[in-house]
Amino acid sequence: MSDQTFHFTLGPVQGFVAQARRTRDFWAGSFLLSWLAGAAMLAVKQQGGTIDFPSPDDGYLGWLTGKGSGDTPRQGCIPNRFKAIQCKVPGDFDPVHIEQSVRDAWRALAESVWTRDLRPHDPSADTRAIWERQIDGFWEISWALGEDNSLLDRRKNWRTHLPPVEGGVKCSMMAGWQELSGAVAPGDACLKDFWEGQRKQFPRDFDEGEHLCAIAFIKRRFVGAFAKLSATMPDGWTLHGWQLDGQMPSTLDLAAAHWVAGLDGARSEDLETLRAATENLLDGSDGGLRLLRCVRETRSEVLTRLHSSALFPHVLENRALCQNRDKVKEVRKALKILDCKTPPAPFYAILLMDGDSLGQLLQTDLQAPPKISRALNAFTSAVPELVDQHNGFLIYAGGDDVLALLPLEDALGCATAIRAVYLAAFKEAFGKEGCSTISAAVTFAHVKIPLTRLLRDSHHLLDDIAKDATGRDALAVRVVKSSGEALQWARPWLCALSVEAPEQLTITRLAERFAADESGEAADFSSKFFYRIRERFAFLNPPKGQPDAEAIFDLEQATSLLAVDYLASGVNRGLTLKIQEAEALIRPLLKQCSPVRRYTSDEDKPRRATQVMPMVPQAGIEFYQQPRLEADAALLVRFLAQKGRERS
């Protein structure tokens, strides 16, 4: 019996991870998907298979067998898709056991949650029927045996998985799935009775008006049942869970992190007054701020326990949430005592990163798999510390994928640092540069925007904008305000990084120059200048609807014209800047406003574009700049400098 290659995938990935109402739901989906993929890997190894790509983290897999050591894993680190080699077929290796192991693991977890949280409340037969139908019908598992790398995709195209038909009232988190009470219509008494009972039992876990299906219920409540989980798998081995800390920073914690850290040094009595007032208003904090380094390093118990939601005006003004207006006054009074003139900016960041064209590298280099696995293991082991250093919370780092939540101030720096580690890992593994690149998408989002929508849009930003539209090895940034998308900017990494400081983005350095520094010195750019920039660009650009038309002015002429406008915007403040000095300030901004795309040597190049040289030339790669200016880069500079606050 000869060795064959076993291919396996588990999904739906986005249908499970991205449908989330809280950061905790987001994390739970990613964690559980990785845990189930780990169960599949262990099932392969139990039958004598060895994982070729990606190389599994044996430390993580040890926890699944109850033999883990050191810190318990908190983030997912195993991709949902892998292939294994050295699997004897047909006698010694049974692919069905791999699928069955995943389904048994999921059922065991589901039953643990049911036994702990639902059975004590004597649920109806309808609730149990919904639970079993959804647990059995959710996962789509595909596998194939053979050497052809396209086998798995062809197998998935059969579309043999049919989700169950769902009636009744639908889940608040997972679109299309029935909630658990079995209510036929929203006004049914059983709907209210069932979920009021859950809210009474678990007041922090279920919001008013929230109704969940079985899958969403498990995501929300599995942490409490995970530590005692033990399930026998088809090949006789035992799968385990472990003790988990289910505490997560909220989106409001992320938005407020640096603002809260800035309170360090204030009088302890005043800080305690603020903490007590916020807790009295909103029933205490869940402690999510302590997970963010900038707050944690203050070593202030009061600050780590602050209820960040009560720091935002839109929350205090919400009379449904803050019904006791006297308590709201106490919070505002405490903020005034601390001389907090400006509230936290209501924005945080979602960072999504993914390696470029690894599949192509695997197909063109037969010696690549072990090198790629070595590079990815080094990369993923470094990511958690990098995210923590940038005051963020890591959701997932596995294979060539990264997903993290960060404060607005840290997201672009974190993306830049992660890219540097990725490139270094591949250079070390292959002994040369340029073997693989990584693209990133950063979404700066208002805290009011639903997470599910943002996660879906982040994947579009990464796949369609950073990779397809910008040519890969690129960064794409989007700002989503409460009123909708405000701006979008993308650029190849090698044209976005600063020549003077390669560890920084030019756009970040420009934002620092726009913002007034701590000593109160004047900024290099005025808000008035940015406010009028769309109008100025419309004048300088080729006519609309004529993509092949030449620009009215070239970049140097546009720089001179905008330098005059810049000097008229009030930046001098009594000083006298010469036109040449103004041009020196404007030039790097306009370069970031000129769209650039990365091309491989065999791709067709645009007719009117101009080839530009990146900071580091690459063999077989060319960069072309379009003859127009886009205001979104300049508006991003203003957004970053003002941290999302609007001011004149």
Side-chain angles (χ1 to χ4, degrees):
M1 291 178 288
S2 60
D3 294 346
Q4 290 196 50
T5 301
F6 174 63
H7 310 256
F8 175 91
T9 187
L10 168 68
V13 176
Q14 294 310 311
F16 188 60
V17 176
Q19 297 196 73
R21 290 172 60 86
R22 303 180 180 185
T23 54
R24 179 174 169 181
D25 303 331
F26 191 15
W27 163 82
S30 175
F31 178 89
L32 289 174
L33 192 68
S34 185
W35 180 71
L36 291 171
M41 285 188 168
L42 281 170
V44 168
K45 296 181 78 171
Q46 287 292 322
Q47 295 192 63
T50 59
I51 309 300
D52 179 35
F53 179 80
S55 177
D57 182 340
D58 289 333
Y60 178 84
L61 294 183
W63 284 97
L64 275 74
T65 59
K67 299 176 182 177
S69 60
D71 294 336
T72 55
R74 196 177 185 194
Q75 279 86 24
C77 64
I78 293 181
N80 70 305
R81 177 178 177 136
F82 66 89
K83 65 177 183 177
I85 61 171
Q86 297 180 6
C87 299
K88 302 294 184 181
V89 292
D92 295 337
F93 184 79
D94 186 353
V96 175
H97 279 201
I98 314 305
E99 177 175 348
Q100 195 60 46
S101 295
V102 173
R103 296 196 185 279
D104 286 357
W106 173 243
R107 290 191 190 102
L109 177 64
E111 197 59 28
S112 295
V113 174
W114 174 273
T115 301
R116 186 176 187 271
D117 292 349
L118 291 173
R119 182 179 292 168
H121 300 283
D122 193 23
S124 69
D126 285 345
T127 295
R128 182 63 188 183
I130 294 168
W131 183 271
E132 291 182 352
R133 180 183 75 235
Q134 293 177 348
I135 296 306
D136 290 343
F138 181 72
W139 293 108
E140 180 179 359
I141 298 174
S142 300
W143 56 265
L145 279 169
E147 304 309 312
D148 188 343
N149 284 327
S150 68
L151 276 176
L152 193 56
D153 291 327
R154 285 156 53 192
R155 170 63 183 84
K156 289 177 69 178
N157 287 337
W158 291 359
R159 305 291 182 191
T160 54
H161 176 75
L162 297 175
V165 176
E166 298 287 319
V169 178
K170 297 303 185 286
C171 176
S172 304
M173 184 194 305
M174 309 284 291
W177 294 84
Q178 185 178 7
E179 59 77 40
L180 284 169
S181 76
V184 176
D188 288 359
C190 66
L191 180 71
K192 179 181 178 181
D193 293 345
F194 182 91
W195 291 106
E196 279 189 353
Q198 293 301 314
R199 275 186 283 277
K200 184 177 180 180
Q201 183 74 14
F202 311 113
R204 288 186 177 274
D205 284 347
F206 300 104
D207 295 332
E208 190 69 33
E210 192 173 45
H211 318 119
L212 303 184
C213 64
I215 301 103
F217 193 98
I218 290 171
K219 288 171 67 174
R220 188 67 60 83
R221 290 290 305 160
F222 87 95
V223 168
F226 196 67
K228 295 183 179 180
L229 179 66
S230 177
T232 302
M233 296 290 102
D235 290 304
W237 60 282
T238 302
L239 177 70
H240 292 269
W242 53 87
Q243 189 70 42
L244 280 173
D245 181 358
Q247 201 167 50
M248 305 290 138
S250 68
T251 56
L252 290 158
D253 289 334
L254 291 156
H258 284 282
W259 189 95
V260 170
L263 294 177
D264 189 32
R267 288 200 329 154
S268 58
E269 307 95 287
D270 295 341
L271 291 176
E272 176 56 30
T273 298
L274 176 62
R275 186 207 62 77
T278 61
E279 182 172 323
N280 192 32
L281 175 65
L282 296 173
D283 298 327
S285 165
D286 60 5
L289 281 168
R290 71 172 176 82
L291 300 173
L292 306 177
R293 176 175 282 204
C294 61
V295 179
R296 189 171 69 242
E297 288 185 340
T298 66
R299 301 185 182 278
S300 168
E301 183 69 18
V302 174
L303 292 181
T304 58
R305 290 165 51 212
L306 204 59
H307 202 311
S308 63
S309 299
L311 305 175
F312 291 88
H314 75 273
V315 174
L316 296 177
E317 292 161 8
N318 186 332
R319 291 180 176 269
L321 185 63
C322 303
Q323 297 179 9
N324 190 321
R325 305 312 292 172
D326 289 334
K327 293 181 179 180
V328 171
K329 289 179 181 178
E330 289 301 313
V331 172
R332 287 175 169 156
K333 181 180 177 181
L335 289 168
K336 187 175 181 180
I337 291 172
L338 285 164
D339 197 27
C340 299
K341 296 182 175 64
T342 306
F347 286 89
Y348 68 101
I350 298 172
L351 171 61
L352 186 63
M353 301 184 74
D354 179 49
D356 300 313
S357 306
L358 276 186
Q360 182 179 349
L361 182 59
L362 283 166
Q363 292 178 10
T364 56
D365 183 355
L366 296 178
Q367 305 303 315
K371 296 177 183 178
I372 293 176
S373 290
R374 191 160 61 249
L376 293 180
N377 285 344
F379 169 65
T380 55
S381 65
V383 169
E385 178 62 21
L386 280 176
V387 173
D388 185 62
Q389 286 175 0
H390 289 84
N391 306 302
F393 184 81
L394 181 64
I395 299 293
Y396 175 81
D400 58 343
D401 297 327
V402 174
L403 183 56
L405 304 175
L406 297 115
L408 179 155
E409 297 91 334
D410 302 292
L412 294 177
C414 186
T416 305
I418 289 175
R419 174 184 180 267
V421 168
Y422 184 91
L423 297 184
F426 272 84
K427 181 181 179 181
E428 175 69 22
F430 282 82
K432 59 181 180 179
E433 295 181 337
C435 293
S436 182
T437 58
I438 190 168
S439 294
V442 174
T443 300
F444 293 111
H446 195 283
V447 293
K448 288 184 178 181
I449 307 297
L451 257 180
T452 296
R453 171 191 155 188
L454 292 169
L455 298 176
R456 181 182 65 246
D457 291 350
S458 291
H459 281 277
H460 163 74
L461 185 64
L462 177 64
D463 297 334
D464 298 340
I465 306 303
K467 288 179 177 279
D468 291 347
T470 315
R472 292 176 169 75
D473 193 19
L475 167 68
V477 179
R478 180 178 289 157
V479 174
V480 184
K481 297 188 176 181
S482 57
S483 56
E485 182 180 325
L487 62 91
Q488 179 177 289
W489 171 82
R491 203 164 179 84
W493 279 109
L494 290 179
C495 298
L497 292 167
S498 169
V499 175
E500 296 82 10
E503 74 285 354
Q504 275 191 299
L505 293 166
T506 298
I507 211 91
T508 304
R509 290 168 62 83
L510 289 168
E512 291 171 353
R513 291 166 62 179
F514 174 38
D517 65 26
E518 293 179 358
S519 64
E521 294 179 5
D524 281 343
F525 299 103
S526 74
S527 190
K528 180 182 177 183
F529 173 74
F530 284 111
Y531 182 77
R532 301 172 62 181
I533 206 162
R534 282 192 192 275
E535 177 186 334
R536 297 294 182 258
F537 281 7
F539 171 71
L540 295 170
N541 280 333
K544 280 189 175 182
Q546 300 180 34
D548 291 332
E550 292 189 17
I552 299 172
F553 301 99
D554 63 26
L555 190 60
E556 282 305 311
Q557 291 170 329
T559 300
S560 297
L561 288 169
L562 283 168
V564 174
D565 198 46
Y566 166 77
L567 291 173
S569 67
V571 294
N572 279 337
R573 301 189 184 186
L575 302 175
T576 303
L577 279 177
K578 296 180 180 179
I579 187 68
Q580 292 86 354
E581 294 171 315
E583 288 174 349
L585 290 169
I586 291 295
R587 189 171 289 108
L589 175 65
L590 291 195
K591 284 185 178 180
Q592 296 300 306
C593 293
S594 302
V596 175
R597 190 187 190 280
R598 176 181 180 270
Y599 291 87
T600 57
S601 56
D602 58 348
E603 287 183 285
D604 293 334
K605 313 303 186 297
R607 289 177 54 192
R608 292 289 183 184
T610 303
Q611 187 172 1
V612 295
M613 293 302 296
M615 58 185 298
V616 179
Q618 289 182 328
I621 300 297
E622 298 173 354
F623 298 84
Y624 282 83
Q625 178 177 287
Q626 294 291 337
R628 67 178 187 275
L629 296 170
E630 294 182 348
D632 281 0
L635 298 177
L636 176 60
V637 169
R638 184 177 70 168
F639 173 84
L640 293 172
Q642 296 181 344
K643 300 178 183 178
R645 300 185 185 93
E646 294 291 342
R647 60 176 183 259
S648 58

